[in-house]
Amino acid sequence: MDSLGLYVLAAAVLFGVGVYGLIVSEHLMRKLFAINIMGNAIFILLVAASGPVEGAPDPVPQALVLTGIVIAVSATAFALALMVRLYQETGQATLSSRDEGDDG
Amino acid sequence: MMAFLLYWTPLALVLVSAFAGAVIFVAGERRWLLRTILNLAAAVIKLLLVILIGILVLNGHTPEFRVALVPNLDLVLRADALSLLFASLSAVLWMVTTVYAIAYLERSPNRARFFGFFSLCVAATMGISLAGNLLTFFIFYELLTLTTWPLVVHTGTAAAIRSGRTYLRYTLSGGVLFLIGLIWLYGLAGPQDFIAGGTLAEYGVDARFSLQVIFVLMTIGMGVKAALVPLHGWLPEAMVAPAPVSALLHAVAVVKAGAFGLVRLVEDVFGPQLVADLGLDLPLLLAAAVTILYGSFQALRQVDLKKRLAFSTVSQVSYIILGIAIGGPIATTGGIVHLVHQGLMKIILFFCAGIFGNLLGIKYIHQLDGVGRRMPWTSACFTVGALGMIGLPPVAGFISKWYLGAGAVAVDRAWVVGVLVASTILNASYFLPVIKRIWLNPPPDKWPSEVQVSRIEAASLVGPAIAAAGLALGVGLFAGHPLSPLNWVAGIVTGYFP
Amino acid sequence: MTAEALALIVFLPLLAACAAVAFPGRWLGWIVRIGLLPLPVLMLAPTLAVLDQNVIHLALAGHASPLGIEWRLDPLSLLMLWLNVGITVLISLHAGVSFRPDSDRGQRFWPLWLILFASMNALVLSADLFNLYVTLELVTLAAIGLIAVESKPAALRAGMRYLLLALMASLLYLLGVGLIYGQTGTLDLYLIAEQIEPGWLPVTAMALMIVGLLIKSAVFPLHAWLPAAHGNAPGPVSAILSAMVVKVSIYMIWRLWFWGAAGWDLATAANLMGLLGAAAIVYGSLAALVQDRLKMIVAYSTVAQLGYLMLLFPLASTLAFQAASYHLLSHGLAKAAMFLAAANILSSVGTDRLQRLAGVDQRRPLDVFALALGGVSILGLPPSGGFVAKWLFLEAAWHQQAWGWLVLVAAGGLLAAAYLFRVLGVICLHPRKRLNRRQHREIPNLASVAALILAVSAIAAGFFSAPVLSLISAGLPPGVTP
């Protein structure tokens, strides 16, 4: 197996772990971890798939991934803040809700 | 100046009541005086505008307002002889209905909403009468559905909401079929203005099937409002609305819009010749005949006065459709003129039923015993309307029936006379017993629920009924006058049968 | 001139947002005004430029793509830009009183509002796949922040669910972008079509991006997050979410499909997209019919109405483009009006449960009127913008003999009528006991006026469609037949 295949395999495994975690976990923190793992799988794939085998690596995918990471970090921070807020308001950090039909 | 008048008067005629309606909404519930003045002023202005347009038309002009809604799709408001007929009928009857409604709703809540939509409803009716092509007609036709719904549900009872729902179910579904027919027609032949005698003759050979389907779709779309059996189900249910609304629905706006649309469809879009060539006149004739007999028969079975009148409407409106379906100038004249005659007579009956209901609490026919002694004027008006419906000369209804019968014989469809005779017998058997009760039976000791009203209020309830009765007698007695509806319609019809 | 105006259209609200965070005190009101109100005037220069040149390219700060940021303005993006500016400014009238800048709530609301505004403008202008990704992320995060701004549990939960799905959607989209770049070496949306032939890899990439975007636009069956999010957000936020936020991702799908994949044979996929739309119309309307809260009904109505935008894919003609774009416009106006009106009713009565709304038209006539007018446009009854769109859809379907779509569009209005008149019927019902005036909270007239202006615009759109339609037909993608 060449190195590209290895990267793709790793990405696929990570993505699978992420999807599993997202579906199975109840707790929002775990769901967030899961999404971040999925994100990392995609970043690995991007870097691996778009880098040429010989010669200088293409800077564009690197830049894309860097920006992607920045966005992922800020989105995660935002999600954490939202989760904390949810916990403060309802005392739980899951989405299993009883009162979906609250008065707006 | 002339060009200005010719361009803007049709639009003004529509916008007068729309504007009045908008101001009434904004003014709110408590501004009784402002509302009343606005209502009456708008009615008067509208009548004056109709007279102005009438003078213009008589002098050989055709006022027309035209604006492109979507590129290639024009909104056209044009006053030709037929639209003027319907517009003047609506303007006159709206005037009397407004006076009646102000008195009728004296003490009920939500009057701002009522009169706002009442005005909008008349604006939509004016739009229908002036529509210069099918798209414009459709726009105002749907607008009419929307603006009458709040009137139907006005009383706010659960029953009213239910019948409002039925009303929408029928009318909106009809609108969808109409729309499909319309898009089909526009795809096939492009936008077509109403022109006497129709514009589709050239497609009659190649697109025979398409035209048949389009005609059927549109007939169903309009037949819903015209209460053609079996599309009439909403009409008796809509009786929960206040009496002025029933008067408006039955005599002026909704059913008339459907019948008027069918007249336009047959005479000005397809043309009577093409309708006959496509083999569509006989099915339409049969539908009308069945509706006439079924409506009369159902009316006979009702014990509720307003329900009996409702089924009577179902039956009477189909005289109009019968007339245009028979074909030939004489029957067509009889059909179209019934547009006016039925409006005048039916509005009297609903005004009177409303007065009986409002002031004496009378709902059922057996409660009418001896009411002629208690309310002679109202009862006299009711009698005029009922006798007219039966077709007794000299009330207007006689003329329509005479022309329909003579026209049917003229085009070798003498069996239609049988339908007319049967219907007349049925009419007589559901109206004469009512008249007998009113005048000959002894009054009860106590009316169901009697209300004392001031003189002015009583006068503004009975006045409109008397006015309408006078008109119904007048158009019958003076049918020979050059400006009578009969001669006006005869003039229109010569355009269809050159 | 055009370049400066376009830059200001994005950066003025963005700078105002930064200033709003830095100076949350008494100047906030003015900061907001400066960030929003000049925009309609600034729009004039790009409008004239587009009318003149049709398409405008602009490299920000002189750097061209792929590393620089390149903007492109064509008639469709101009329409989106106008719509966003117009609707945002009108909703801001409402937000100005429901989130007063001098209040605590206002200080949390306005920075996010301005960021959302700026990033939607930037999204519409972006010409490359990656900038679209970044701006779409910004739009999503700002939108979720706004949903949760009042910290109500239901809204927090809805926002959280939306966030999780949106993050996943972004990842799918990003993966697609990476694959496309690997194939073509370009990120320019308008160059992709020239660079690649359809093969399994580009198709997969495109499919990934589109699925991601379908999640963000809440197209059936990926709509599950939308009703709770739109139904529980504060009034102005619900309005902008339904009017614009879901639309910009649909706009991106249109771009990818008709510009990015121009020349591909997508007939099967297009029919599939159309079927999704049809399912959305039916399902959304039926679901709206069984809700017992006004805002939830309006939210499910959005699910249904988004379905019409999907009909563009199978029909794909000039008429269909005009129809879909006009539907986007009139639905935006009408739905914003309805959400604002519903929010006013909610905050006046204290609840938006249907059975409590009997007789509310006496209390809030303007709001009920705005709700009804917006409803008329949603139903597609004439005269309204919704009717123009419906008519064009029908015409498009007729010309292609697509009878199925024709019947769907014609009858779709009946489904909408069912849920809208259910609401109006309840409102017209006489309350068992008179509404107690004391129980009601007064809300400023401006809040109702904003709803009414939007509703009247939705109706007026039925009369003044000609310039917009000719603008749309000037900006058709390559290869579209009339």
Side-chain angles (χ1 to χ4, degrees):
Chain A
M1 184 183 281
D2 61 359
S3 62
L4 182 62
L6 203 62
Y7 280 117
V8 172
L9 188 69
V13 168
L14 277 180
F15 198 82
V17 169
V19 171
Y20 177 81
L22 191 64
I23 294 170
V24 170
S25 325
E26 273 265 303
H27 199 280
L28 285 174
M29 195 68 165
R30 284 171 185 270
K31 279 189 191 285
L32 266 182
F33 279 139
I35 283 196
N36 271 293
I37 291 171
M38 285 164 70
N40 287 335
I42 286 170
F43 296 146
I44 289 174
L45 198 67
L46 288 187
V47 173
S50 52
V53 184
E54 70 273 354
D58 185 349
V60 174
Q62 317 273 340
L64 297 195
V65 167
L66 268 180
T67 319
I69 289 173
V70 171
I71 290 177
V73 167
S74 41
T76 308
F78 177 66
L80 282 174
L82 205 59
M83 192 187 83
V84 169
R85 192 78 226 197
L86 185 66
Y87 181 73
Q88 285 172 347
E89 293 290 328
T90 65
Q92 50 184 168
T94 61
L95 285 179
S96 56
S97 57
R98 352 142 233 111
D99 52 353
E100 212 40 68
D102 268 10
D103 288 355
Chain B
M1 181 61 194
M2 200 58 179
F4 177 84
L5 271 184
L6 287 177
Y7 190 73
W8 292 107
T9 39
L11 185 67
L13 192 55
V14 174
L15 289 187
V16 166
S17 14
F19 176 75
V23 177
I24 289 170
F25 279 127
V26 174
E29 187 66 32
R30 269 165 290 178
R31 311 279 272 281
W32 182 86
L33 190 64
L34 175 66
R35 185 166 62 233
T36 308
I37 290 173
L38 262 173
N39 269 322
L40 294 176
V44 170
I45 293 173
K46 183 175 290 290
L47 206 55
L48 292 177
L49 275 170
V50 168
I51 293 171
L52 174 66
I53 292 178
I55 293 170
L56 290 172
V57 171
L58 275 177
N59 284 323
H61 299 289
T62 311
E64 179 180 290
F65 172 82
R66 182 183 287 270
V67 62
L69 272 189
V70 177
N72 295 328
L73 288 185
D74 288 351
L75 182 92
V76 182
L77 295 171
R78 187 174 48 207
D80 59 12
L82 182 59
S83 38
L84 198 63
L85 182 79
F86 192 31
S88 36
L89 173 76
S90 316
V92 171
L93 292 190
W94 187 43
M95 180 93 193
V96 288
T97 312
T98 306
V99 175
Y100 180 81
I102 291 170
Y104 187 90
L105 291 168
E106 185 58 37
R107 276 171 285 270
S108 69
N110 287 343
R111 275 170 296 169
R113 187 176 80 195
F114 181 88
F115 282 105
F117 281 111
F118 195 70
S119 296
L120 290 181
C121 172
V122 176
T125 311
M126 284 295 155
I128 286 174
S129 68
L130 293 174
N133 58 22
L134 272 174
L135 178 77
T136 315
F137 182 87
F138 176 74
I139 290 174
F140 286 104
Y141 191 75
E142 293 289 70
L143 200 62
L144 184 65
T145 306
L146 285 177
T147 50
T148 42
W149 180 79
L151 300 178
V152 172
V153 303
H154 179 74
T155 49
T157 56
I161 305 286
R162 249 199 321 280
S163 69
R165 205 177 300 144
T166 313
Y167 176 61
L168 284 179
R169 217 171 271 154
Y170 277 88
T171 48
L172 289 179
S173 313
V176 167
L177 294 182
F178 191 164
L179 181 61
I180 294 177
L182 193 58
I183 205 90
W184 199 326
L185 185 64
Y186 271 59
L188 195 72
Q192 307 273 337
D193 281 0
F194 291 147
I195 289 174
T199 51
L200 297 176
E202 54 174 308
Y203 302 93
V205 185
D206 297 339
R208 200 179 153 79
F209 176 70
S210 291
L211 284 183
Q212 283 170 331
V213 176
I214 292 169
F215 188 84
V216 170
L217 284 172
M218 291 198 169
T219 305
I220 295 175
M222 296 177 188
V224 167
K225 282 214 173 94
L228 267 181
V229 171
L231 310 168
H232 67 287
W234 61 271
L235 188 63
E237 272 206 48
M239 284 299 94
V240 294
V245 177
S246 308
L248 197 73
L249 293 184
H250 285 253
V252 193
V254 180
V255 267
K256 275 307 160 51
F260 180 75
L262 278 168
V263 173
R264 284 287 196 200
L265 185 69
V266 171
E267 310 295 348
D268 289 346
V269 179
F270 279 74
Q273 190 57 46
L274 181 62
V275 173
D277 289 349
L278 293 171
L280 293 164
D281 55 341
L282 193 62
L284 189 62
L285 184 57
L286 287 176
V290 167
T291 309
I292 289 174
L293 294 178
Y294 174 85
S296 301
F297 189 70
Q298 281 292 327
L300 196 57
R301 294 182 43 205
Q302 305 300 319
V303 291
D304 182 321
L305 180 59
K306 281 181 82 180
K307 281 249 166 88
R308 179 168 288 190
L309 294 180
F311 277 107
S312 159
T313 304
V314 171
S315 153
Q316 292 281 334
V317 167
S318 275
Y319 279 62
I320 303 166
I321 301 161
L322 190 80
I324 56 172
I326 293 173
I330 306 174
T332 309
T333 307
I336 298 178
V337 81
H338 200 57
L339 202 73
V340 176
H341 293 166
Q342 189 267 351
L344 289 172
M345 296 183 298
K346 193 38 70 72
I347 211 161
I348 310 173
L349 294 176
F350 272 107
F351 282 168
C352 297
I355 297 173
F356 293 147
N358 219 17
L359 301 189
L360 298 179
I362 291 171
K363 189 167 183 312
Y364 297 101
I365 288 163
H366 66 84
Q367 295 168 323
L368 281 168
D369 285 343
V371 80
R373 275 169 241 177
R374 175 74 175 71
M375 293 183 162
W377 284 101
T378 312
S379 303
C381 292
F382 188 91
T383 310
V384 169
L387 292 181
M389 284 291 177
I390 299 169
L392 211 68
V395 189
F398 166 72
I399 295 169
S400 326
K401 282 196 182 173
W402 177 263
Y403 268 78
L404 287 173
V409 174
V411 295
D412 288 334
R413 280 176 166 159
W415 61 271
V416 178
V417 179
V419 174
L420 289 173
V421 171
S423 154
T424 303
I425 294 172
L426 283 167
N427 288 348
S429 46
Y430 65 75
F431 272 132
L432 287 180
V434 179
I435 296 174
K436 177 194 164 258
R437 273 181 192 279
I438 290 177
W439 294 110
L440 301 180
N441 284 12
D445 302 332
K446 191 173 169 298
W447 299 102
S449 68
E450 202 168 343
V451 181
Q452 290 302 324
V453 291
S454 68
R455 228 162 236 284
I456 297 179
E457 210 180 323
S460 39
L461 285 172
V462 182
I466 296 175
L471 281 169
L473 278 171
V475 296
L477 283 172
F478 300 106
H481 187 274
L483 278 180
S484 76
L486 182 66
N487 279 318
W488 188 260
V489 172
I492 298 171
V493 169
T494 50
Y496 303 146
F497 299 96
Chain C
M1 184 63 187
T2 312
E4 286 81 3
L6 281 179
L8 276 177
I9 283 168
V10 172
F11 287 107
L12 196 62
L14 202 61
L15 289 174
C18 299
V21 176
F23 310 103
R26 45 198 269 258
W27 297 107
L28 183 60
W30 287 106
I31 293 170
V32 169
R33 284 188 186 95
I34 291 170
L36 286 173
L37 294 183
L39 274 276
V41 183
L42 285 171
M43 281 298 294
L44 293 179
T47 307
L48 292 175
V50 167
L51 290 179
D52 187 36
Q53 305 162 30
N54 209 18
V55 180
I56 298 164
H57 289 274
L58 191 69
L60 268 199
H63 295 292
S65 63
L67 286 177
I69 293 177
E70 196 172 292
W71 281 352
R72 180 179 182 278
L73 187 67
D74 71 355
L76 182 60
S77 36
L78 182 73
L79 177 72
M80 294 294 290
L81 209 52
W82 261 116
L83 199 56
N84 191 33
V85 170
I87 291 185
T88 305
V89 168
L90 284 175
I91 298 178
S92 298
L93 286 182
H94 185 282
V97 289
S98 54
F99 289 92
R100 296 182 59 87
D102 52 13
S103 71
D104 208 30
R105 291 148 49 82
Q107 287 169 7
R108 272 177 284 145
F109 173 86
W110 285 103
L112 286 166
W113 183 254
L114 290 163
I115 289 177
L116 180 68
F117 181 46
S119 45
M120 279 198 286
N121 288 343
L123 184 146
V124 169
L125 288 169
S126 297
D128 74 83
L129 296 174
F130 194 70
N131 281 323
L132 283 168
Y133 164 72
V134 175
T135 45
L136 187 64
E137 261 334 73
L138 275 172
V139 169
T140 311
L141 292 183
I144 295 170
L146 283 167
I147 292 173
V149 78
E150 285 183 315
S151 296
K152 284 190 185 159
L156 284 170
R157 221 175 261 123
M160 194 72 207
R161 182 166 295 138
Y162 181 11
L163 179 61
L164 290 176
L165 277 169
L167 287 178
M168 206 169 76
S170 308
L171 290 175
L172 293 179
Y173 177 84
L174 186 63
L175 184 56
V177 174
L179 294 179
I180 290 279
Y181 183 80
Q183 295 284 303
T184 63
T186 178
L187 288 168
D188 189 329
L189 176 60
Y190 302 91
L191 291 180
I192 303 172
E194 300 166 19
Q195 304 271 349
I196 39 173
E197 293 298 308
W200 72 269
L201 202 57
V203 169
T204 314
M206 202 56 98
L208 283 169
M209 289 196 282
I210 286 174
V211 170
L213 292 171
L214 286 177
I215 295 178
K216 291 218 176 189
S217 357
V219 171
F220 182 87
L222 306 168
H223 65 281
W225 60 268
L226 182 141
H230 289 205
N232 288 311
V237 181
S238 310
I240 200 72
L241 284 175
S242 270
M244 289 309 302
V245 173
V246 285
K247 307 285 177 55
V248 294
S249 42
I250 296 231
Y251 161 86
M252 280 173 64
I253 305 179
W254 288 356
R255 286 290 191 197
L256 286 176
W257 191 282
F258 292 106
W259 278 266
W264 297 16
D265 178 23
L266 294 170
T268 318
N271 278 324
L272 183 70
M273 296 287 263
L275 286 176
L276 289 185
I281 293 171
V282 174
Y283 171 84
S285 307
L286 293 181
L289 201 53
V290 298
Q291 300 302 313
D292 68 339
R293 279 182 46 209
L294 179 56
K295 282 187 76 175
M296 291 304 273
I297 293 173
V298 184
Y300 270 105
S301 159
T302 299
V303 173
Q305 294 290 314
L306 289 172
Y308 289 99
L309 298 178
M310 303 294 286
L311 297 186
L312 174 59
F313 299 105
L315 292 173
S317 60
T318 307
L319 278 168
F321 250 96
Q322 291 178 327
S325 314
Y326 214 70
H327 184 272
L328 195 146
L329 176 144
S330 52
H331 174 257
L333 293 169
K335 198 43 76 65
M338 290 175 80
F339 261 124
L340 291 187
N344 292 342
I345 292 172
L346 167 69
S347 65
S348 166
V349 182
T351 175
D352 63 345
R353 286 194 185 282
L354 274 190
Q355 68 265 31
R356 297 275 305 277
L357 295 186
V360 79
D361 61 325
Q362 294 301 302
R363 178 75 198 162
R364 311 250 15 120
L366 287 184
D367 292 318
V368 172
F369 201 53
L371 193 71
L373 283 185
V376 167
S377 180
I378 298 284
L379 293 178
L381 284 181
S384 67
F387 174 68
V388 171
K390 184 168 168 174
W391 178 271
L392 292 167
F393 266 126
L394 289 172
E395 223 176 326
W398 194 88
H399 281 295
Q400 299 178 28
Q401 266 123 53
W403 308 126
W405 301 133
L406 191 142
V407 171
L408 174 76
V409 174
L414 289 182
L415 291 168
Y419 60 78
L420 284 168
F421 278 99
R422 176 167 165 255
V423 174
L424 293 177
V426 169
I427 288 175
C428 286
L429 203 65
H430 267 305
R432 276 194 209 91
K433 49 182 186 207
R434 296 302 302 167
L435 292 169
N436 184 353
R437 287 192 168 254
R438 296 239 176 86
Q439 279 173 3
H440 291 271
R441 237 183 50 191
E442 278 302 331
I443 42 178
N445 273 334
L446 191 58
S448 302
V449 169
L452 200 59
I453 294 176
L454 281 160
V456 169
S457 325
I459 298 293
F463 291 97
F464 306 104
S465 54
V468 179
L469 294 179
S470 69
L471 180 75
I472 296 165
S473 57
L476 293 176
V480 163
T481 54

